[in-house]
Amino acid sequence: MKILKFGGTSVGSVPSIQTLLNILEGELKNKQKPVVVLSAMSGVTNLLVAMAEGAAEGKDFTAQLAELEKRHFDVIKALLDIQNQNPAFTRLKILFNQLEDLLQGILTLRELTPKTRDMVLSFGERCSTFMIGKIAAQHFPGAISVDATEFIKTDSSFGQAKVNMDLTDLLVRGFFHENSDKLIFVTGFISANEAKQITTLGRGGSDYTAAILGAALNAHEIQIWTDVNGMMTADPRMVKKAFSLPELTYTEAMELSYFGAKVIYPPTMIPAFMKKIPIVIKNTFDVDFEGTVIRHDCKPSNLPIKGISSINNISILNLEGSGMVGKSGFSGRLFSLLAREQINVILITQSSSEHSITFAVQPGDTERARDLIEQEFELELVAKKLEHVVIEQNLAIIAIVGENMKQTPGVSGKLFHALGRNGINVRAIAQGSSEYNISVIISANDLAKALNAVHDGFFTQLTKTLHAFCLGTGNIGQTLFKQLNAHSAYLQEHNGIQVKIAGISNTRKMVFNSDGVSLDNWQAELEASMHPADLAEFVAKMKSMNLPNCVFIDNTASPKPVEFYEEVFKANISVITCNKIGNSASYKQYKTFHDAAHSHGVDFFYETNVGAGLPIIRTLKDLMNSGDRVAKIEAILSGTISFIFNNFKGDANFHDVVKEAQDKGYTEPDPRDDLSGKDFMRKILILARDAGYAMEEADVRIESVLPKACLEAQSVEEFYAALKAEDAFFSNLKAKAAAENKVLRYIGKLDEGKAEITLQMVDENHPFYTLSGSDNIISFTTDRYRERPLVVKGPGAGAEVTAAGVFADLINVGA
């Protein structure tokens, strides 16, 4: 035998009821006659609550009652043959008249008792079960509907009645034995006490009804038909990458459902757990999907956790004081008080010193819990042995669940790393000795970010999502977007990374999309945006979106974004920049940025500050991190100047070579930033600082390539005019080098903490003699590489290689 329970959405419309009938037809073809448990139509229970509470406040309910009738009558008209409709309408009308009388009584008395409330709520299941039973009887001879009050017996705890299992089992077996040849439709959620007064089974009551019947009848399987594909790894409304779990143990399912997974409720499983009856969660709207099986004998799983559950809104109460230390029975007194007053405690944590207890409750119970505690412990408060209860609100719980946690080391470390890296502060922690669950309390505002970050952290078979916010849409920015778009599939397949561009800004406009701006038409989206560019607003919006694994990418050469770096780090957002200004201004600023990134557990990557896409910074950091000491660095670190002097030969004119370099995108917007040596100085300064030297700009001696007139020109156009006028100066340099069989090279050197950049003539014996194109070259002499220096050589300028360097930094974030 199977028990099939259909939830509110499964009976909420004509198409879903038709699907329900098709499911039953399939079961009957297999010569199985299931027991069918039904909920109220979706939204009906809420409507009944609103009518009852409104009546108690003196509000009219006639419009809502008419809406309720219409929903049921519309289904009858659509699915019941005309000749069978009048008896169904009559019976439903009798039920609605009874409901109207009941509501009128509430309105007259202005009072809604728990007993009356249960009576009102019972009409949802009674109407839907009668209606569907009548419709089913057309297709399946022998189909009947029955009120569960006939055989599910409880105490008189209205709203959350306790089932008398022994009596209920006896009555259930007797009823179903007498009706074994029938297809029986049973009301979920409702029951009755010994006085035959209607009671309800509380949250998840229809599921509980199914489990009670399944246990009493020793069912082979209990199926819960709902509107989702089984139990999922996280709430799919907040975690888009959540996926369905094929199976769970009873314990795992209970832990997940207790902490917010609304597919099924903990009491539902207890009768099934006792009888080891499998529970299958199925989707009425995707009948072919296998769903989730909850059973006692799951197959071994490679996953360290099975799922991440959450409760969206809770409050915590903190109780502390010296009067708690070593006081036996204090906790018992506290929690007995709360239990006696029907206040459910969701989570408890206590300090090892016994000086404080923190516990979580539903927000609606917060004030009452505080008042009860302060009344109970009034003497201790007066004697200053206890502090007054402190309430914290707008909090949420996130819980990771799985039986494998017990034998998998590092689970808690992975959880807290994911939270900490994303700047999510943990207010309280609880873990049971069974190690099936680790629960943490966080700000409710951080819940979506926390769920996504933790989900990415544990389910490594899925792609990790990085949310990038990009400043600058010039050559480098545009090229980066092209590269990301071209390689997105490769990144997901080989690196397990998905990059979403969540924000873009240039000097005119900015655009945001938490699902990612399309890289196929980002320019059109940016142009169509109604948000004018505002750097402070861009950063504020990035922070307020509160997405996990955020990266701020600065593809500009402007000093303005640098002013926000520290704020970005403090928001636990990594920074990637090809903008050298941040690291080459004052040493104090350099150190502030690095300290802020380190203290907030995020990345600060700036490989392109020195050698475009060449791994220079990473190589230097690897040397330093492994304990090596840098004695000397020699380098040509200007791809621009490298290109210029490599092409300044023969009949070439210096002015024309510089213009060609700019046209190819090798120079800064003003070529003097390169030719003055200032850009090169910034790179040497950054290397010196990364090598451990606290140097300032003034500590780097620069020999300028340009004559004074070129440097003092008022604009780029005037600079080129001055450059042409100085043609003889540059021709003489070229001629002198050629006469000595040498080449011109602009070389930077850091030697035991002293730095300089000079124009030199080098012969064929020098390692920099053969440099070509726009290549950079750098030589590291260290304690380990003293006899044969470590050399890195390759292209050092151009949008393609610079964007590739930013790309490489991006995929290394959080690695």
Side-chain angles (χ1 to χ4, degrees), residues 117-319:
R117 185 188 183 94
D118 276 5
M119 176 66 80
V120 171
L121 296 186
S122 74
F123 282 91
E125 275 71 17
R126 289 158 69 191
C127 290
S128 68
T129 304
F130 167 76
M131 176 180 71
I132 292 172
K134 282 294 182 186
I135 294 167
Q138 288 186 154
H139 304 274
F140 314 118
I144 62 169
S145 60
V146 61
D147 197 321
T149 55
E150 292 188 28
F151 40 73
I152 297 183
K153 299 302 179 181
T154 69
D155 64 8
S156 296
S157 301
F158 297 99
Q160 191 77 46
K162 305 296 184 294
V163 178
N164 180 336
M165 284 298 184
D166 291 337
L167 178 58
T168 295
D169 284 356
L170 187 65
L171 293 172
V172 167
R173 292 192 197 106
F175 179 88
F176 283 88
H177 177 72
E178 291 175 6
N179 295 278
S180 58
D181 58 333
K182 303 286 196 305
L183 175 61
I184 303 173
F185 292 82
V186 183
T187 54
F189 181 56
I190 64 174
S191 46
N193 61 14
E194 290 183 1
K196 297 185 179 181
Q197 296 168 323
I198 289 179
T199 58
T200 60
L201 300 175
R203 184 182 178 207
S206 292
D207 293 348
Y208 194 19
T209 302
I212 291 167
L213 298 181
L217 299 171
N218 292 311
H220 168 69
E221 182 177 280
I222 298 169
Q223 294 182 1
I224 307 293
W225 288 85
T226 181
D227 56 359
V228 294
N229 283 335
M231 294 191 76
M232 305 186 80
T233 49
D235 186 339
R237 294 168 300 180
M238 286 189 274
V239 181
K240 293 187 177 178
K241 287 187 280 186
F243 58 92
S244 298
L245 293 160
E247 62 177 11
L248 292 166
T249 66
Y250 291 115
T251 304
E252 289 168 336
M254 288 183 75
E255 292 281 358
L256 284 170
S257 61
Y258 180 75
F259 282 96
K262 295 181 175 61
V263 176
I264 199 167
Y265 298 91
T268 302
M269 285 172 281
I270 295 171
F273 181 90
M274 301 300 291
K275 291 287 186 76
K276 296 184 178 178
I277 301 170
I279 299 173
V280 185
I281 313 297
K282 301 276 283 181
N283 189 348
T284 311
F285 304 96
D286 189 0
V287 175
D288 294 330
F289 192 81
E290 292 294 327
T292 301
V293 181
I294 303 169
R295 52 162 62 103
H296 75 285
D297 55 347
C298 283
K299 298 170 188 172
S301 169
N302 294 325
L303 297 173
I305 68 170
K306 284 289 184 69
I308 308 160
S309 197
S310 57
I311 300 176
N312 296 2
N313 188 17
I314 59 108
S315 298
I316 62 174
L317 290 86
N318 298 304
L319 190 59

Side-chain angles (χ1 to χ4, degrees), residues 471-488:
L471 288 180
T473 58
N475 286 339
I476 295 170
Q478 290 184 36
T479 306
L480 175 64
F481 293 156
K482 287 178 185 175
Q483 291 176 354
L484 284 171
N485 202 20
H487 295 91
S488 61

Side-chain angles (χ1 to χ4, degrees), residues 1 18 59 63 107 227 245 453 548 658 763 788 790 805:
M1 176 185 285
Q18 189 62 62
K59 296 177 182 176
L107 181 66
D227 56 359
L245 293 160
V658 173
D763 60 24
R788 293 173 62 85
L790 174 62

Side-chain angles (χ1 to χ4, degrees), residues 683-737:
K683 296 177 180 182
I684 286 291
L685 186 59
I686 292 168
L687 285 174
R689 288 170 173 177
D690 281 0
Y693 297 101
M695 294 177 64
E696 299 289 355
E697 180 179 329
D699 298 326
V700 183
R701 186 177 74 83
I702 305 175
E703 180 185 349
S704 175
V705 173
L706 298 173
K708 185 177 180 181
C710 296
L711 291 171
E712 293 179 351
Q714 296 300 304
S715 66
V716 174
E717 290 76 14
E718 288 183 19
F719 157 70
Y720 274 115
L723 198 61
K724 186 168 282 190
E726 295 286 352
D727 185 57
F729 170 79
F730 293 106
S731 295
N732 288 338
L733 284 175
K734 179 174 65 175
K736 183 179 179 183

